[in-house]
């Protein structure tokens, strides 16, 4: 039994090594940019409602918030070691020098997007607008520190 | 009251028109390619398990299947009228000539990815492998007809 467990662990470790090796920096950069593109696609209609450019549509806002809450936790895996170079990227090299801080900011984003999804689902426009500010703040806090200015 | 309703409807229609006009073909193409990239990112580790290149990991497979089931319904909005041109795209113009058929294929994908997510969550490897074939078949059926060969 013990032997089986060790063999299985070795296989798992080998698999992780293979998987890690298989993800090229270009692929990780392309992937994380895709997650941000999808977040942006869903963010824009929310901003339009927040700024009263379009009428408030609670169901639509909730749908977009739900998607962003699902996407946010998928960002971090797009920043593996070594993916600071390899393709055009707006990610500053500081990310990999301060990975604990970067992860903490990503956790903030995950928490605030989840809170936005929950409050939007509950249907209170005022509370949703308040939580939107916090969520946008979590985006900005990370962009200010870790995204290159264009 | 009636006047208010009409005014609200007019505002909603105007908003829709503005939103539709605001989505440029380039943005839609970039968006849909991002959804496909995210689907691919999660698809690859599943294929590796299906082909026994990596050991079966039911929890990991289920996580990836869940993500793809969430992403699949977000594809269709990336194909608005007029987005057959505007940037590099592998989407054939036939999509917009056969939109009902294309939508039907997208519905098949949504159904099969949802089924894969459900069966993977239930944890039966054999059934998951069977459903994976159906899901990959739904991808291929659409690619064969509507994706340009590179």
């Amino acid at each position: 039994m013990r032997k089986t467990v060790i063999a299985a662990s070795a296989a798992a470790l080998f698999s992780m090594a293979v998987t890690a090796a298989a993800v090229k920096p270009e692929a990780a950069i392309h992937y994380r940019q895709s997650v941000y593109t999808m977040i942006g696609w869903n963010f824009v209609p929310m901003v339009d409602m927040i700024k009263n450019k379009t009428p408030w549509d609670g169901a639509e806002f909730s749908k977009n918030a739900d998607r962003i809450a699902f996407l946010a936790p998928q960002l971090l895996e797009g920043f593996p070691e070594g993916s600071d170079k390899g393709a055009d990227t707006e990610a500053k090299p500081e990310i990999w020098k301060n990975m604990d801080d970067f992860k903490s900011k990503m956790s903030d984003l995950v928490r605030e997007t989840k809170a936005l999804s929950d409050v939007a689902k509950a249907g209170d426009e005022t509370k949703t607008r308040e939580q939107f500010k916090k969520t946008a703040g979590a985006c900005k806090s990370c962009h200010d520190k870790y995204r290159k200015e264009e």
Side-chain angles (χ1 to χ4, degrees), chain A:
Chain A
M1 178 64 186
R2 193 164 169 262
K3 201 170 172 182
T4 314
V5 171
I6 292 169
S9 300
L13 277 173
F14 180 68
S15 144
M16 282 170 67
V18 167
T19 307
V23 175
K24 293 182 180 165
E26 292 79 7
I29 292 168
H30 188 53
Y31 165 75
R32 71 192 182 219
Q33 289 174 345
S34 296
V35 188
Y36 283 116
T37 296
M38 286 196 71
I39 290 175
W41 178 266
N42 288 288
F43 202 73
V44 168
M46 294 163 85
V47 172
D48 285 348
M49 286 186 231
I50 292 288
K51 293 189 173 177
N52 298 311
K53 285 189 186 176
T54 56
W56 189 263
D57 179 340
E60 185 68 12
F61 195 101
S62 178
K63 186 191 76 179
N64 292 328
D66 202 35
R67 289 175 171 185
I68 290 176
F70 192 86
L71 292 164
Q74 299 181 54
L75 277 169
L76 192 59
E77 66 201 76
F79 293 87
E81 197 66 40
S83 67
D84 52 332
K85 289 176 198 151
D88 269 350
T89 174
E90 291 173 28
K92 285 187 183 172
E94 281 75 8
I95 290 171
W96 291 270
K97 290 171 196 156
N98 305 287
M99 189 45 86
D100 284 349
D101 180 58
F102 185 71
K103 282 182 180 172
S104 161
K105 288 192 183 301
M106 280 291 184
S107 293
D108 293 346
L109 181 71
V110 169
R111 186 187 64 244
E112 299 301 342
T113 54
K114 174 72 169 62
L116 186 62
S117 170
D118 289 345
V119 77
K121 211 164 281 170
D124 184 317
E125 184 183 330
T126 307
K127 286 185 184 166
T128 302
R129 286 178 178 272
E130 283 167 15
Q131 179 55 39
F132 182 83
K133 281 186 206 165
K134 289 191 193 171
T135 308
C139 300
K140 190 177 182 303
S141 162
C142 197
H143 292 172
D144 283 351
K145 192 163 179 184
Y146 292 120
R147 190 171 72 166
K148 289 175 199 163
E149 292 193 26
E150 291 190 82

